[in-house]
Amino acid sequence: MMTGERCEKISVQLHQRKFQGIQHNWRKILCHLFLIFCSALCGFIAYRFLFKFIRSNYLNQLKILTNQIQSSLDEGLTHNLLASQSLAETFNVYCPSYSNWPQCSIPRLDFMKLIRPLLLIGFLKDISIVPILYPNDTASSFEEYAFRMFEADKGYPKNYGVSSIGSVIYSLNTSKGFPGVKYHDTTGETSFSKFKIITPNFLCASCAVMCNLHSVHNRGIALDSIIDAFANGQRNVSTVTTFVQAFEDKSRPASANFYPIAPSQSSSILVGFVRVLQYWDEAFKKASPMSAQGIDFILSDSKSTYTFTITQGRKVSLKGEGDLHDVKFESYRLSYPPFCSDEYSAYTVIYYPNSAFFPRDIYLQPLVGSITIVLVLLLLELVFAVYSYYLERQLQ
């Protein structure tokens, strides 16, 4: 009896030890699985942290670049204004009396020498002198004077200023779209202005010579605002048009700035304007540092929006009309206060990066870092498991 009870007791103890061994093994397995899960979790957290860190660095680079571009834009546009002001003051002195106008001119080569340094300091494509003519008064006599001067001055090419309708000042009927139909305007009347005036491009580097700018809506509105301001005693006033299609290159969005000309001896009388023209793709190119690439510029005025992009080598191109930035970079949006702002127009620029701004391995960098962390943790887990295994064997 004693032997049977003892055998049964030993059997129970062996069974209990086996059960405890199974429990112990399961605890070890669960512990190892938990450590593996923690390693994977740490890898995921590391990936998110590293990606946010790298993204933050690139966002800071983007802010530095756009701050430089915006500052350069503001500076260049100020130079545009100073250039037009400088040329206006030159003609105020050169033709100091009201009686000198509108037939105020200098030889073409001298004019080119005068404006060449001005074209270099800002974003200017062209500068022109635009006299104010009145129908049935100064318009016809100015036509005769201008074409006689173009023919006599050897600095002008043959048939300079002669359009498809002849040797006349022409206006544009844009009711059916730009560039419109040319016609010989003798009234100066428009559908949008109370002023009956004719304002032709006269002296310029490369403009639509003898085109009546006041006949084109956004240019005419800008000129009217200067006339109104001048009548209210504001002498140093300038205006900028909304987006214009330049006659010289209709595919490139441009803007025209106007500044008043008043002869020094008759400073209360407005006799004309200085017009400066700039292409916005050229402005962005000059404003951008050489390191800038992979950035979209969303340029808007009160009526239209255009998207430009800059690629390696400071090459700026027009993507098209509208906001065409990649929506996956929406969170990188950077905007600045409007510039070129007046009653009629205000320009704003919004910056977005595109895929070319980031290196191809931007997602790979944090992935490599997180995998490295996971591998280190798994290696530690393996060392712990091996150590635990040999420790148990020694104890047994």
Side-chain angles (χ1 to χ4, degrees):
M1 288 294 294
M2 291 297 293
T3 302
E5 289 179 359
R6 186 174 181 181
C7 288
E8 185 179 350
K9 189 174 182 181
I10 291 173
S11 175
V12 171
Q13 289 176 348
L14 289 173
H15 181 73
Q16 288 177 343
R17 286 181 182 179
K18 184 178 180 181
F19 180 74
Q20 289 174 351
I22 293 173
Q23 283 186 322
H24 178 67
N25 289 336
W26 272 108
R27 281 198 295 268
K28 287 198 298 181
I29 292 171
L30 290 175
C31 181
H32 291 313
L33 289 175
F34 177 73
L35 290 176
I36 292 172
F37 171 77
C38 288
S39 299
L41 181 62
C42 288
F44 175 75
I45 294 173
Y47 177 84
R48 293 295 300 268
F49 173 79
L50 290 172
F51 181 75
K52 285 185 177 181
F53 177 76
I54 294 172
R55 180 182 180 274
S56 176
N57 283 342
Y58 281 104
L59 182 58
N60 288 335
Q61 292 179 28
L62 180 66
K63 287 180 179 178
I64 291 171
L65 286 172
T66 55
N67 285 338
Q68 291 177 354
I69 294 170
Q70 192 71 16
S71 177
S72 296
L73 276 178
D74 290 336
E75 184 178 345
L77 295 170
T78 300
H79 286 160
N80 289 0
L81 175 61
L82 293 175
S84 58
Q85 185 177 4
S86 173
L87 191 61
E89 290 174 354
T90 299
F91 274 82
N92 290 345
V93 175
Y94 183 73
C95 298
S97 173
Y98 174 69
S99 60
N100 300 133
W101 292 84
Q103 298 179 9
C104 174
S105 178
I106 61 176
R108 177 172 174 78
L109 294 181
D110 292 339
F111 181 76
M112 295 302 295
K113 289 179 182 178
L114 182 63
I115 68 171
R116 191 169 290 117
L118 300 178
L119 292 173
L120 296 176
I121 63 173
F123 304 139
L124 303 183
K125 183 64 178 176
D126 187 38
I127 305 179
S128 62
I129 300 297
V130 182
I132 297 176
L133 310 178
Y134 297 95
N136 303 319
D137 180 12
T138 56
S140 59
S141 60
F142 182 80
E143 279 181 345
E144 296 176 6
Y145 163 78
F147 285 101
R148 188 171 61 250
M149 185 203 74
F150 294 154
E151 187 175 351
D153 189 336
K154 294 182 179 180
Y156 290 101
K158 188 177 180 180
N159 294 326
Y160 186 79
V162 179
S163 68
S164 58
I165 62 172
S167 301
V168 295
I169 299 170
Y170 65 89
S171 293
L172 292 171
N173 181 354
T174 57
S175 59
K176 295 184 179 180
F178 191 85
V181 179
K182 296 178 182 178
Y183 65 96
H184 186 205
D185 189 357
T186 58
T187 66
E189 294 181 354
T190 64
S191 60
F192 55 82
S193 174
K194 62 184 178 182
F195 300 109
K196 297 180 180 180
I197 58 174
I198 298 173
T199 56
N201 269 325
F202 180 38
L203 302 177
C204 64
S206 58
C207 65
V209 184
M210 304 305 280
C211 174
N212 175 22
L213 298 182
H214 192 258
S215 67
V216 185
H217 185 272
N218 55 359
R219 295 165 174 87
I221 293 294
L223 294 176
D224 285 357
S225 65
I226 290 184
I227 296 172
D228 288 332
F230 209 85
N232 292 326
Q234 300 178 41
R235 300 292 182 258
N236 294 321
V237 61
S238 67
T239 57
V240 60
T241 64
T242 52
F243 284 118
V244 300
Q245 290 177 296
F247 302 109
E248 298 80 10
D249 190 343
K250 303 176 183 63
S251 64
R252 300 166 67 187
S255 296
N257 295 67
F258 293 95
Y259 192 86
I261 300 176
S264 58
Q265 295 177 9
S266 309
S267 59
S268 61
I269 303 175
L270 182 64
V271 296
F273 310 92
V274 173
R275 182 213 64 150
V276 298
L277 178 72
Q278 70 169 27
Y279 291 120
W280 281 103
D281 56 347
E282 195 70 24
F284 285 125
K285 179 179 179 180
K286 290 184 177 180
S288 300
M290 284 301 297
S291 59
Q293 66 170 346
I295 301 175
D296 290 338
F297 311 98
I298 315 300
L299 178 66
S300 303
D301 65 6
S302 56
K303 297 181 179 180
S304 305
T305 297
Y306 289 91
T307 300
F308 300 83
T309 189
I310 185 168
T311 54
Q312 191 172 13
R314 207 169 62 167
K315 296 178 181 178
V316 176
S317 58
L318 175 66
K319 274 191 171 181
E321 189 169 1
D323 186 344
L324 305 178
H325 78 278
D326 192 334
V327 293
K328 71 181 180 182
F329 297 109
E330 185 68 34
S331 61
Y332 287 86
R333 182 181 191 271
L334 292 172
S335 60
Y336 293 84
F339 54 90
C340 289
S341 181
D342 55 32
E343 294 180 358
Y344 178 57
S345 63
Y347 287 90
T348 57
V349 183
I350 299 174
Y351 300 90
Y352 294 95
N354 56 48
S355 56
F357 181 79
F358 302 96
R360 294 180 179 179
D361 61 349
I362 185 172
Y363 294 101
L364 185 61
Q365 292 175 7
L367 183 62
V368 170
S370 60
I371 290 175
T372 302
I373 292 173
V374 170
L375 290 177
V376 170
L377 292 175
L378 290 177
L379 180 61
L380 293 175
E381 160 61 13
L382 180 62
V383 171
F384 172 74
V386 172
Y387 173 77
S388 177
Y389 171 76
Y390 280 104
L391 183 62
E392 286 184 0
R393 288 194 62 181
Q394 288 181 357
L395 291 176
Q396 289 174 358

